[in-house]
Amino acid sequence: MENSVIEAAPVILTEGAVKEIKRLMDAPDFDASQHLRLGVKGGGCSGLSYMLGFDQKEANDREFEVEGIPCIINKAHEIYLAGMEVDWSEGLNNRGFTFSNPNASSTCGCGTSFAV
């Protein structure tokens, strides 16, 4: 009998984020072959910006699941995102996904840009 190794997800999705992502996935026109992609790209006020959206899996992606949500992350981005928490905010001044990243040495006021 083989022991299976369960890897921890590299990022955390809060209950609010999971609820909103599942709401988006339940839309009638949602392409069920897509995964939730978490990543980074150059730019933004602090040097790097977060990416969050639905995409197809690519060869250099690591697959994982959070609360039944199929997720992917480019293996090269894990160093920037390991331990990051994604939340959903519905406040009066801020509605959308928010990112709390323990790897960021600085962040900017917009909450979507950071430096390492």
Side-chain angles (χ1 to χ4, degrees):
M1 183 174 184
E2 284 184 40
N3 289 336
S4 61
V5 177
I6 299 174
E7 289 186 49
V11 298
I12 300 159
L13 301 178
T14 66
E15 185 180 337
V18 166
K19 184 178 175 185
E20 179 62 14
I21 291 163
K22 286 185 175 182
R23 186 190 69 75
L24 294 170
M25 291 172 67
D26 285 342
D29 58 346
F30 179 75
D31 179 355
S33 72
Q34 294 196 334
H35 297 65
L36 180 69
R37 177 175 297 282
L38 298 110
V40 296
K41 63 181 177 181
C45 356
S46 298
L48 293 168
S49 293
Y50 299 110
M51 296 184 330
L52 180 70
F54 293 103
D55 198 3
Q56 297 296 329
K57 185 178 182 307
E58 296 176 5
N60 202 30
D61 287 336
R62 175 177 167 208
E63 264 184 284
F64 60 97
E65 192 173 291
V66 177
E67 299 285 328
I69 299 168
C71 301
I72 49 178
I73 186 171
N74 183 304
K75 292 174 185 171
H77 295 186
E78 272 190 86
I79 190 170
Y80 301 112
L81 302 178
M84 180 180 72
E85 182 180 275
V86 180
D87 194 12
W88 173 255
S89 176
E90 285 208 53
L92 292 174
N93 297 330
N94 185 17
R95 183 173 193 268
F97 289 101
T98 58
F99 306 89
S100 177
N101 189 343
N103 305 300
S105 63
S106 65
T107 58
C108 77
C110 71
T112 62
S113 182
F114 70 104
V116 287

